[in-house]
Amino acid sequence: MLRLLIGKELRELRRTTNATWLLVGLALLVGLALYNGYAYYTTRSAFLRQSQQTTYAQFIAQGDKNPHLGAHFGFYAYKPTADLALLDNGVEDYTGNSFYLEPHKRGEVKFREVSDATALRSFGFLNVGYFAQLLLPLFIFLLTHNLFSKEWENGTIKLMLSARVSTVQLLAGKLLAAGVVVGAVLLLLALGPLGLLAWHLGPGGLAPLLPTYACYVAGLVLYAALLTVLGGAVSLLTRNSALSLVVLAGCWLLGVFLVPRLTGELARRTHPATTAVEFDDYTFHDMQYGVGHEGTKDERRAALADSVMAYYGVKRLEDLPVYFIPITIEAAEESDGRVMDRAYAAIERNEARQNRLVQLSALLSPFLAFRELSLHLTATDLDTHRDFAAQAEAHRRRVGRIVDAFYQKNTVAGNTFWRTVPQFAYAAPGLGWRLRHATGPVLLLLGWSAAAVSLLVLAKKISL
């Protein structure tokens, strides 16, 4: 009986012209999303990789210079394109991709690609993630809005129930039929990017991505299943196709557009960001007067001179066996680094408060819950961006220590020395790290799934 019900639903869907054109349009959009994602992933990866190599090659070939002046020549640390950015580019275009490595200056991640984009980019970038978060729910709601209500409108509900079809079989048959259609779309969404990644990376490059990719597909299946159940529950509860469509479309508009924008504005007003002027004033004061009881710059320099002379057992700076200037540079770098660490930690705490408020809004929108899961699994989220910035800053300080150590005994550095300065390389955290940071979105998706099933059970009790 269950197989007959599924066959009946699929035949009715095949006979519906609107559904056929909807599926054709959907297939075209999926193809466009795959093309956009692949083009973004390949061109951006090649550009950033070449830029990284070029700027480092220029640095190590700069010739004979004073070590400190040569260090100021600097080079860029580039954030490589995320391994699954083909699926979802997340916040990559808004957070920037390059970090300048230069002494005394904690860099900021710059070159946000969205700043060079046209106004059309404000509508979003169509890739698999965008399709899944915004367009897939609309398709599922259009597919399921009359899944049960049409039986009341056509007067066939009593006929079906009198044909020894249990209510459980009726629910399961209709939802599984809708699931077959939705599953076909998910299969295209899952296999399309996988094939493109295999073609671009080869089997060896694809293998490390498979566990993360499997988690992404599992999250996508859970997300689509809860939307299918939610659409069916509303259709069963309203018994009216027009009303069901209005309710589901309202949920889509509310969850996709209104909730994110309202909570974003609320987060901005509740936890206002520190302005650039306030940040500069704050850090300048602490750099001049020290953190805690360090004292002013002059006092710190005098104390450093005393400790260095005591260490080498001399009475005058001129008698030191090493140059004192690079020692002061390194000490100032460490002192200023503590100031900047504290200042950036305050900014990150404020950003974390803003993000928590936005993520809590996923209680009102399953679309936001899946978006957060997608960002974390594809390593295009803010947590991964902060990890890159932290590693780039650590590398900048490492370069400074290498140069200052050389400068203590040498006043000229040539290409032989510059080649000893290590290149920067960043690899996004692994699957375990990503899943730990995605715990909240996963729990929210499971909660929404439980709520959708509960609504379906309630609708069954009321309507059948």
Side-chain angles (χ1 to χ4, degrees):
M1 185 62 71
L2 188 61
R3 185 169 58 184
L4 292 175
L5 282 171
I6 295 174
K8 166 189 170 296
E9 291 296 323
L10 293 177
R11 282 192 299 273
E12 288 183 359
L13 183 63
R14 189 171 61 250
R15 293 168 184 167
T16 305
T17 305
N18 292 339
T20 302
W21 283 110
L22 178 62
L23 288 171
V24 171
L26 203 69
L28 292 175
L29 286 174
V30 171
L32 181 59
L34 290 173
Y35 171 78
N36 284 344
Y38 182 74
Y40 175 91
Y41 175 73
T42 54
T43 58
R44 194 171 186 272
S45 297
F47 172 75
L48 293 179
R49 185 168 54 252
Q50 182 180 2
S51 298
Q52 177 89 20
Q53 294 170 353
T54 300
T55 184
Y56 180 69
Q58 291 171 343
F59 176 81
I60 63 176
Q62 60 180 301
D64 294 345
K65 288 183 180 178
N66 175 277
H68 188 66
L69 294 179
H72 274 287
F73 187 87
F75 60 97
Y76 280 95
Y78 285 90
K79 180 183 179 184
T81 304
D83 47 17
L84 293 180
L86 186 151
L87 293 173
D88 194 341
N89 63 332
V91 298
E92 296 280 273
D93 292 347
Y94 297 87
T95 54
N97 54 46
S98 60
F99 189 104
Y100 194 52
L101 306 177
E102 182 183 10
H104 314 313
K105 298 178 181 179
R106 172 160 179 159
E108 296 179 3
V109 185
K110 297 182 178 180
F111 301 119
R112 298 169 176 83
E113 295 184 20
V114 74
S115 61
D116 297 324
T118 65
L120 291 175
R121 194 59 176 269
S122 62
F123 292 97
F125 182 76
L126 180 59
N127 52 22
V128 173
Y130 184 90
F131 181 91
Q133 295 158 31
L134 274 75
L135 301 180
L136 181 63
L138 187 60
F139 163 71
I140 293 176
F141 289 162
L142 289 173
L143 179 68
T144 59
H145 78 280
N146 65 346
L147 197 60
F148 294 97
S149 57
K150 65 184 178 183
E151 304 299 345
W152 274 276
E153 293 171 346
N154 296 334
T156 56
I157 184 65
K158 292 182 179 179
L159 180 63
M160 293 183 69
L161 293 176
S162 64
R164 293 189 298 177
V165 177
S166 67
T167 56
V168 174
Q169 288 177 326
L170 180 62
L171 289 175
K174 286 184 170 290
L175 289 175
L176 287 174
V180 169
V181 180
V182 174
V185 177
L186 295 183
L187 191 64
L188 185 59
L189 285 176
L191 295 182
L194 190 64
L196 292 174
L197 285 171
W199 183 36
H200 181 70
L201 300 174
L206 178 64
L209 304 182
L210 290 179
T212 305
Y213 195 87
C215 289
Y216 186 92
V217 172
L220 182 61
V221 170
L222 176 64
Y223 172 63
L226 80 88
L227 293 177
T228 303
V229 172
L230 181 62
V234 172
S235 176
L236 183 60
L237 197 60
T238 59
R239 297 190 182 187
N240 183 283
S241 298
L243 178 59
S244 175
L245 183 59
V246 168
V247 171
L248 291 173
C251 292
W252 180 76
L253 287 170
L254 182 69
V256 168
F257 294 103
L258 292 181
V259 170
R261 283 156 178 77
L262 290 176
T263 52
E265 183 64 21
L266 178 62
R268 187 179 69 84
R269 293 182 177 275
T270 305
H271 307 292
T274 303
T275 65
V277 174
E278 292 171 340
F279 182 84
D280 289 341
D281 289 343
Y282 173 72
T283 54
F284 177 79
H285 177 274
D286 282 359
M287 286 180 182
Q288 293 298 316
Y289 297 99
V291 178
H293 302 287
E294 285 185 335
T296 64
K297 278 192 172 182
D298 290 339
E299 292 171 343
R300 280 176 276 161
R301 188 180 187 280
L304 177 64
D306 292 339
S307 64
V308 171
M309 288 187 292
Y311 176 80
Y312 285 101
V314 298
K315 298 294 184 180
R316 300 184 309 161
L317 292 176
E318 292 82 358
D319 297 331
L320 288 173
V322 295
Y323 294 109
F324 182 62
I325 290 178
I327 296 176
T328 63
I329 291 173
E330 181 62 27
E333 184 77 34
E334 293 179 0
S335 178
D336 292 349
R338 288 191 291 270
V339 173
M340 299 302 288
D341 287 345
R342 190 172 67 167
Y344 275 94
I347 290 177
E348 290 179 1
R349 285 194 298 270
N350 189 65
E351 288 180 348
R353 288 191 289 267
Q354 291 179 335
N355 288 336
R356 279 196 297 270
L357 185 57
V358 172
Q359 290 172 5
L360 280 175
S361 65
L363 291 169
L364 305 175
S365 170
F367 320 112
L368 288 179
F370 178 75
R371 185 191 70 175
E372 291 297 320
L373 177 62
S374 176
L375 294 182
H376 283 88
L377 288 179
T378 56
T380 57
D381 58 304
L382 279 175
D383 290 326
T384 304
H385 173 73
R386 293 194 191 101
D387 182 67
F388 161 73
Q391 291 196 33
E393 171 62 13
H395 192 79
R396 184 190 71 84
R397 297 183 186 183
R398 181 186 177 192
V399 171
R401 288 192 295 270
I402 292 172
V403 173
D404 290 337
F406 181 83
Y407 188 19
Q408 289 182 27
K409 297 182 179 180
N410 303 273
T411 56
V412 177
N415 290 344
T416 302
F417 168 72
W418 299 126
R419 283 193 287 269
T420 65
V421 176
Q423 169 69 291
F424 175 78
Y426 176 75
L431 178 58
W433 188 91
R434 300 183 197 187
L435 288 176
R436 284 196 300 273
H437 284 78
T439 300
V442 170
L443 293 177
L444 285 168
L445 278 177
L446 292 174
W448 269 101
S449 300
V453 172
S454 299
L455 182 63
L456 182 65
V457 172
L458 176 63
K460 172 181 172 294
K461 291 181 178 179
I462 294 175
S463 302
L464 295 177

